[in-house]
Amino acid sequence: MKLVVAVVQDKDAPKLLQVLVDKDYRATKLASTGGFLKEGNTTLLLGVADDAVDDVVGLIKATCKSRDQLVTPLTPVGGPVDSYVPYPVEVLVGGATIFVLSVERHEKA
Ligand code: 2BA
């Protein structure tokens, strides 16, 4: 068994969960926050059989979209505040960041 951990955008999470549950995959949805943008995203935990990993990863990739997001950088610490003009910069946020981990043991009680 493998544990698939997928960090996805909030906008894609409801559809992705539906797609996964429709195909009988079990999923846990966690509210998470990206370290860089400090904005909400969604982390899904999926315990799946080894031979189902490619299918699950394929469903995630097919459902989640990359999007450009505008970010306004903070004033540089210690820098001159009055002359600093914070121009928004575009950041491409990926469709999904996926980790696949081996599961040593899985039990249900
Ligand atoms: P955030 O950390 O909020 O990052 C959002 C997007 O900002 C990233 O999209 C990337 O395009 C950009 N970014 C992140 N760190 C950067 C940096 N140091 N310099 C310049 N740009 C940077 P994604 O790479 O698609 O990541 C989307 C979200 O997935 C991340 O949100 C984070 O929550 C998670 N993530 C990505 N890589 C991860 C990793 N190696 N470990 C854990 N979580 C990760």
Side-chain angles (χ1 to χ4, degrees), residues 7 33-39 41 91-97 99:
V7 184
T33 304
F36 186 68
L37 295 180
K38 295 179 180 55
E39 290 191 0
N41 54 26
V91 170
L92 181 69
V93 183
T97 300
F99 304 90

Side-chain angles (χ1 to χ4, degrees), residues 7 19 21-22 24-25 41 46 51 53 60 69 73 78 85 87 93-94 96 98 100-102:
V7 184
V19 165
V21 170
D22 284 351
D24 265 355
Y25 292 117
N41 54 26
L46 298 126
D51 60 4
V53 169
I60 296 169
Q69 198 157 324
V85 183
Y87 289 107
V93 183
I98 303 167
V100 180
L101 295 79
S102 292

Side-chain angles (χ1 to χ4, degrees), residues 27-108:
T28 295
K29 175 177 177 283
L30 306 174
S32 45
T33 304
F36 186 68
L37 295 180
K38 295 179 180 55
E39 290 191 0
N41 54 26
T42 296
T43 300
L44 295 183
L45 304 181
L46 298 126
V48 297
D50 288 13
D51 60 4
V53 169
D54 288 345
D55 185 40
V56 166
V57 170
L59 292 170
I60 296 169
K61 285 183 174 176
T63 310
C64 299
K65 300 180 180 70
S66 295
R67 294 181 183 89
D68 281 322
Q69 198 157 324
L70 281 177
V71 186
T72 306
L74 296 172
T75 312
V77 177
V81 180
D82 48 354
S83 61
Y84 178 68
V85 183
Y87 289 107
V89 290
E90 250 178 11
V91 170
L92 181 69
V93 183
T97 300
I98 303 167
F99 304 90
V100 180
L101 295 79
S102 292
V103 174
E104 204 166 300
R105 186 165 160 174
H106 167 235
E107 290 190 26
K108 288 198 163 195

